[in-house]
Amino acid sequence: MHPDSSTESTTSEVATVQLEFRDLTRITGEAKYQEAVDHVLNVMDQQSVVDNLLPVSISPETGKFRESALITLGARGDSYYEYLLKQWIQSGKKENKFRDWYVQSMDGVQHKLIRRSKPHNLLFVGEMSEGRFSNKMDHLVCFLSGTLALGAHNGLNAFHMDIAKELLYTCVQMYERMETGLSPEMVYFNQDGASQEDIQVQVLRVSRCQL
């Protein structure tokens, strides 16, 4: 967990145990587990957010998002989107609110966060902060290719499979274009055409006093 403040939780933190708690209710017959995690998502859903793209910082006391917080499908946001689809499938595709929230989120991703790099047109998923787009993508975002493919396989938008394939190709390039053969934790995608490298890495220098 990497909260922006010691008084805040992250979106992925509070939305990452729903599958397990719902299964506990199925196994034990005790409704309290599912009721607890359903309440969390219902509180999150009551807030006004655009395209169901959620800020990554939330108050555990009030359930309110910090509106100025980052919007990302990388660290601190990823599990929320992944688990929406899987909860719909887990329910036997009967609890359609999860499907609807997921589809709305993916529409938002497509229209607001997906861009292409220069010069080779790699598809990537960026971030938003206070309405401004960032060309940064965490390696964690690579989960989305599998999630989109799973949704398409279960009857959702077939176009999601096309996005999944292109994003997966980009994620492979994050390995293949590195001298070490290892992907960085995060990369930046070239969008101004000034460089011939689509994928850029910012090296952080750590002093001995920080170790």
Side-chain angles (χ1 to χ4, degrees):
M1 180 182 71
H2 302 283
D4 294 326
S5 164
S6 60
T7 62
E8 294 177 334
S9 296
T10 68
T11 298
S12 61
E13 178 187 9
V14 301
T16 197
V17 295
Q18 274 67 13
L19 288 174
E20 293 82 359
F21 273 56
R22 285 172 146 259
D23 212 37
L24 276 173
T25 286
R26 181 186 65 82
I27 293 170
T28 65
E30 296 185 33
K32 62 181 180 180
Y33 302 110
Q34 180 171 330
E35 290 172 352
V37 292
D38 282 355
H39 176 68
V40 172
L41 290 185
N42 288 334
V43 168
M44 296 168 75
D45 182 56
Q46 290 168 6
Q47 300 183 60
S48 177
V49 295
V50 178
D51 295 320
N52 206 40
L53 297 176
L54 307 186
V56 297
S57 296
I58 186 170
S59 167
E61 296 180 351
T62 67
K64 299 294 185 182
F65 293 113
R66 181 159 56 81
E67 294 182 1
S68 62
L70 183 71
I71 293 174
T72 178
L73 271 73
R76 298 179 287 168
D78 53 335
S79 299
Y80 168 74
Y81 304 98
E82 176 186 1
Y83 274 31
L84 288 180
L85 174 64
K86 291 181 177 179
Q87 284 176 90
W88 175 60
I89 295 172
Q90 185 188 50
S91 75
K93 303 180 183 177
K94 294 177 181 178
E95 295 187 57
N96 289 330
K97 65 180 181 180
F98 298 120
R99 177 202 61 194
D100 296 342
W101 290 343
Y102 169 76
V103 170
Q104 184 182 9
S105 296
M106 293 305 102
D107 286 346
V109 168
Q110 183 178 346
H111 294 127
K112 296 194 172 180
L113 299 183
I114 287 181
R115 298 286 193 281
R116 291 186 179 275
S117 67
K118 294 181 179 179
H120 297 110
N121 216 36
L122 297 179
L123 182 147
F124 70 96
V125 181
E127 301 178 340
M128 294 285 290
S129 179
E130 298 184 309
R132 295 187 298 273
F133 178 79
S134 168
N135 60 338
K136 170 181 169 287
M137 186 175 104
D138 287 358
H139 180 276
L140 270 174
V141 177
C142 291
F143 88 89
L144 186 61
S145 57
T147 299
L148 287 167
L150 180 63
H153 179 71
N154 279 275
L156 301 184
N157 195 331
F159 180 63
H160 287 181
M161 186 66 78
D162 297 328
I163 299 174
K165 291 177 180 178
E166 288 203 67
L167 180 59
L168 178 59
Y169 178 79
T170 297
C171 292
V172 171
Q173 298 309 303
M174 289 167 60
Y175 288 84
E176 291 191 346
R177 299 191 185 199
M178 300 297 132
E179 290 186 10
T180 62
L182 300 175
S183 173
E185 183 179 356
M186 62 187 71
V187 298
Y188 295 80
F189 286 87
N190 178 26
Q191 291 205 281
D192 59 19
S195 170
Q196 291 302 304
E197 297 294 334
D198 291 75
I199 300 174
Q200 302 168 342
V201 180
Q202 293 187 3
V203 179
L204 299 178
R205 300 191 181 280
V206 181
S207 66
R208 290 190 176 186
C209 65
Q210 292 176 291
L211 297 176

